[in-house]
Amino acid sequence: MGGPGSGRTGGMLTDKCEDYRPVDLAWLKRTGILDSWAWATISWSHGGEVHSSIQVRREHSGVRFRYRTRKPGDEWQDVNELMPFAYTHTNYGGHRRWFECLPCGRNCRILYGGTYYRCRTCWGLRYESQYEPAWARPISKAQKIRDRLGGSLSLADPFPEKPKGMHWRTYDRLKRQDDHLTSRWAAMTMDWIGKFSG
Ligand SMILES: [Zn+2]
């Protein structure tokens, strides 16, 4: 499998969805992987064929990622990295959990796999429409909703507050659309093929 630096300029910026392997912390939570503390395999498929997979396991301070990777012409390399959790406080006295990107320390909800798992900023990943792969379209739609609400475009940030003057009914509808779009994005790109101990 090719990763960043495998001959393509611009990191992972490509319209081939098989080149992206995002891991979404919210998805790990939804599937129960975060609560199981056992190794789980996540695979990515394209056209019905699995093209890559990794193993992940919840640990106290983060999620361990284990996989083999190879740049074209190089030997296979075993990667075993702990992606640490970071926590921020919410307005309601709770906390929100994030991945902390290893090289840059940014909090993010989604890590993108190439040779290593890093945040979108580290890869220079953009969602410009001319480069937009099919899997990213739900993200763009969700970003438009967030833009309309005057919030951050990052799906890693909480859904924006209701702007003054907007009807609650409109706001709730946009929030439901946002939920639907982010779930659809995760479903399109990730597939949980099973848990095993070890
Ligand atoms: Zn980063």
Side-chain angles (χ1 to χ4, degrees):
M1 72 183 71
S6 64
R8 209 171 266 115
T9 54
M12 301 176 69
L13 196 58
T14 160
D15 59 357
K16 289 172 72 188
C17 62
E18 57 263 53
D19 289 342
Y20 295 86
R21 294 182 288 285
V23 173
D24 179 352
L25 188 58
W27 185 89
L28 292 177
K29 177 75 186 159
R30 268 204 303 281
T31 53
I33 290 173
L34 279 193
D35 297 321
S36 81
W37 300 76
W39 284 107
T41 301
I42 301 171
S43 71
W44 291 266
S45 50
H46 181 65
E49 299 219 357
V50 171
H51 59 79
S52 53
S53 64
I54 66 164
Q55 292 168 6
V56 296
R57 189 183 65 185
R58 164 75 189 277
E59 295 187 2
H60 279 285
S61 56
V63 180
R64 188 164 292 283
F65 285 39
R66 194 167 74 174
Y67 53 95
R68 301 184 85 199
T69 185
R70 184 172 65 162
K71 292 179 184 175
D74 283 1
E75 294 293 309
W76 283 100
Q77 206 185 328
D78 287 315
V79 180
N80 185 331
E81 275 189 331
L82 181 73
M83 303 297 164
F85 290 139
Y87 296 90
T88 54
H89 293 287
T90 65
N91 294 334
Y92 311 104
H95 66 266
R96 178 174 283 260
R97 183 167 47 199
W98 310 87
F99 279 128
E100 184 184 313
C101 176
L102 285 173
C104 77
R106 282 188 182 83
N107 292 350
C108 55
R109 202 183 102 182
I110 299 159
L111 291 169
Y112 297 86
T115 309
Y116 295 101
Y117 279 80
R118 301 295 181 250
C119 76
R120 203 176 92 171
T121 308
C122 280
W123 292 132
L125 209 57
R126 290 169 295 166
Y127 297 124
E128 289 163 16
S129 58
Q130 70 265 38
Y131 297 116
E132 188 173 72
W135 66 261
R137 271 168 219 148
I139 297 180
S140 297
K141 285 186 192 158
Q143 285 178 324
K144 278 194 189 118
I145 291 173
R146 284 155 188 257
D147 192 33
R148 181 172 164 190
L149 295 173
S152 154
L153 296 194
S154 170
L155 300 196
D157 287 334
F159 192 72
E161 302 281 317
K162 186 182 83 65
K164 279 206 173 79
M166 179 180 274
H167 287 293
W168 274 107
R169 209 168 50 187
T170 310
Y171 178 75
D172 288 341
R173 178 171 55 81
L174 292 173
K175 191 166 188 331
R176 276 198 307 275
Q177 279 178 9
D178 181 80
D179 278 349
H180 174 75
L181 289 164
T182 44
S183 309
R184 209 175 92 205
W185 169 74
M188 274 169 69
T189 52
M190 301 174 73
D191 189 19
W192 183 31
I193 58 174
K195 261 191 272 188
F196 55 94
S197 57

